[in-house]
Amino acid sequence: MSSAQSAPPPLVDPDAEGCAPGQRRELQQQRLGELVDRLLRADGLQARRLRGAGVRAGADVSLEDLAKLPLVTKQDLWEHYPWGLIAVPREQVVCLHGSSGTSGRPTLVPYTAVDVAIWADVMARALGGAGANRSSVIQVAYGYGLFTGGQGMHHGGMRLGATVLPLSAGMTDRQLRMLTDLRPDVLCCTPSYAIYLGEALRASGVEPGTGSLKVGIFGAEPWTEGMRTQIESLLGLRALDIYGLSEIIGPGVACESLDSGGLLNVAEDHFYVEAIDPEGNPVPDGTPGELVFSTLTKTGMPLLRYRSGDIATLSGPAEDSPRTLRRMSKLLGRRDDMLVIRGVNVFPTEIEAVLLADSRVGPHYLIVEDRRAPARPELRVAVEPSSEAVGAEALATELGGALRERLGVGCHVRVVSAGTVPRTEVGKARRLERWAEGDEVPDRWRVLL
Ligand code: DLL
């Protein structure tokens, strides 16, 4: 770890992270042309759509006109399962990764050696921006497997020259043992597992701040500023956000650094980012929009204008930082997670922000969108008290009031006994349930009615 956390951590790749924005734009323009040429040569779905839009060569396309080009969606990838929109001969594919997805069918993504090298580079930058260096020991508690979390951190840590401890997710006793025996300074895992681990650490008698950890790099699922505070106090470290998606590369598409002012630096020399409204029009910086990425340099499954479904705001680089990359906010939600309750748009993250701002609420909770009576959709929230001393009735009433004020819509809050909400040890937390017309409410959730 860099010893002085107040000084910005040094750039791992100064040309890429610190060049003048105008110079980067020229590089992006050149790479965009090369990407379009690669897609046209591959002669697949994206080439057909490009030709349909009148594009005959990379030279026809400019960054200014990008918004006029066709978009690619997850549906397109599913329709080309299992090899996706592969653009190279199969022999050039060195590995596949992907995500299990909520609708059953995984999204698989083929990587070439070039792609893995890009991934290692952007992940080394992410780790460096968090203060890690060659002497760091990085405990990787993201899952290893098809999921990109473990492997992405692993590639980046090795590229940085640090020592990687590939524990994967779960087996909490072993995680605690390694924290004690090897004294890692960097922890990488999902934010929900960070809380789980922090609670386990505390239960084992270790006081926060007395351990070796200095920074944690948490992502792969939504988490709020409230969770950040909770994780920092449980684990005694600085908690940073990292964002990515398998379709684009995995983790490392964007990441917070110690000096990025709470926003995430986008690796925009490799992944050009746009934010669009539901009609597909670009939104100005600072306005929430759906993130759309173009993989300027990837070769296995290059994507032009991939709709991520993720909502965030974009902004320029941090002032006074050597990093000149554009930044994105923490994710505000997903296009398809947006709940419309009696005409009011609600993102689960807004509910979480209210819950986690109240110290009487424990870290495990569940949000239910109840549409069993389609004409009268309801929001239900189950929370666990943070201690036995908490008065359940008063908490439920006060949270109900705070939620109505924040969301503009009423919400049924139930305080359930500790241990009722399912825990996440491995994989991503599920904090949102949806009940549709005709659904039976599972027995364990009758308490919510
Ligand atoms: O979750 C890649 C990743 C691994 C990111 C480890 C960070 C750390 P997928 O499994 O394909 O890839 O899921 C991608 O997860 O579209 C977001 O909706 C969500 N997501 C990823 N990072 C964040 C984050 C990995 N920091 C999907 N905050 C994305 C909120 C996130 N949601």
Side-chain angles (χ1 to χ4, degrees), residues 311-385:
I311 312 284
T313 61
L314 295 178
S315 53
E319 269 176 41
D320 303 326
S321 164
R323 291 171 176 77
T324 56
L325 297 160
R326 277 166 68 66
R327 293 172 299 160
M328 58 176 259
S329 64
K330 265 177 116 43
L331 281 203
L332 303 170
R334 279 195 55 80
R335 187 167 36 108
D336 43 9
D337 264 3
M338 193 175 75
L339 314 174
V340 186
I341 301 292
R342 302 192 289 279
V344 180
N345 296 349
V346 176
F347 282 113
T349 46
E350 292 179 275
I351 302 175
E352 286 161 6
V354 172
L355 302 184
L356 292 163
D358 193 316
S359 60
R360 294 170 297 175
V361 177
H364 306 286
Y365 54 86
L366 184 78
I367 299 165
V368 178
E369 181 198 35
D370 182 357
R371 289 191 179 278
R372 288 171 309 138
R376 180 82 200 158
E378 302 284 356
L379 260 185
R380 301 181 188 278
V381 172
V383 298
E384 291 181 4

Side-chain angles (χ1 to χ4, degrees), residues 55-141:
V55 175
R56 296 279 169 274
D60 296 344
V61 169
S62 76
L63 285 170
E64 283 69 35
D65 292 337
L66 193 57
K68 296 185 188 138
L69 295 182
L71 292 153
V72 181
T73 63
K74 190 136 189 142
Q75 188 63 34
D76 292 321
L77 300 188
W78 279 335
E79 283 169 11
H80 291 76
Y81 179 82
W83 288 96
L85 302 177
I86 187 171
V88 290
R90 296 260 184 94
E91 311 81 80
Q92 289 183 29
V93 174
V94 296
C95 61
L96 287 140
H97 280 285
S99 59
S100 48
T102 42
S103 329
R105 198 168 8 174
T107 308
L108 292 179
V109 180
Y111 292 61
T112 63
V114 170
D115 301 335
V116 174
I118 294 168
W119 198 13
D121 284 343
V122 293
M123 276 309 306
R125 291 188 212 167
L127 287 159
N133 57 34
R134 289 175 57 80
S135 359
S136 291
V137 176
I138 303 175
Q139 180 152 335
V140 182

Side-chain angles (χ1 to χ4, degrees), residues 218-269:
F218 306 121
E221 62 185 18
W223 58 303
T224 55
E225 290 301 332
M227 282 174 83
R228 193 200 295 270
T229 310
Q230 209 165 25
I231 292 171
E232 290 187 337
S233 95
L234 274 171
L235 285 165
L237 46 62
R238 175 95 182 260
L240 300 179
D241 195 0
I242 184 157
Y243 165 80
L245 57 167
S246 338
E247 296 90 314
I248 300 305
I249 197 98
V253 173
C255 56
E256 243 183 301
S257 53
L258 292 173
D259 60 346
S260 63
L263 303 182
L264 290 78
N265 309 301
V266 181
E268 49 161 347
D269 51 326

